Amino acid sequence: MKSLTRTFSALAFLSTVFASASAFAAPADIAQQAYRGQLDGIPGYERLELGYNSRSITLDDIITAAGKEPTTELRSSVRSSLRAIADVK
């Protein structure tokens, strides 16, 4: 019985750790997926850069396409990540 309880406790702990790690990685993942054209409705590469720089594609469009709720903090993080990987202003 103790080993079963320890196993469940370890699994619960690991899922919490992975959930926390994915929360931190989310903005970079969103930017990478957008740049690669892996988000529905968001073109990748040069078309993303052109659309974003001409403001026909917004950060909210990108974040919503990733299935996340746009917040000020998430917008800022995704913007920074996009700037790091693409030629966006």
Side-chain angles (χ1 to χ4, degrees):
M1 187 70 165
K2 284 185 178 182
S3 64
L4 191 59
T5 304
R6 287 181 185 158
T7 302
F8 284 126
S9 295
L11 288 173
F13 174 75
L14 287 175
S15 65
T16 303
V17 169
F18 287 129
S20 298
S22 68
F24 289 115
D29 290 343
I30 291 170
Q32 285 286 338
Q33 289 174 338
Y35 190 69
R36 292 178 183 156
Q38 296 173 333
L39 299 177
D40 288 337
I42 306 295
Y45 304 102
E46 289 179 18
R47 290 180 52 210
L48 171 64
E49 292 175 17
L50 290 170
Y52 183 81
N53 289 331
S54 69
R55 297 192 174 129
S56 63
I57 298 172
T58 66
L59 286 171
D60 284 358
D61 295 335
I62 294 168
I63 294 167
T64 302
K68 302 283 185 183
E69 184 70 31
T71 62
T72 303
E73 183 178 330
L74 189 54
R75 285 182 195 103
S76 177
S77 297
V78 170
R79 180 184 302 115
S80 296
S81 296
L82 274 175
R83 286 180 179 162
I85 62 173
D87 186 25
V88 297
K89 310 301 184 247

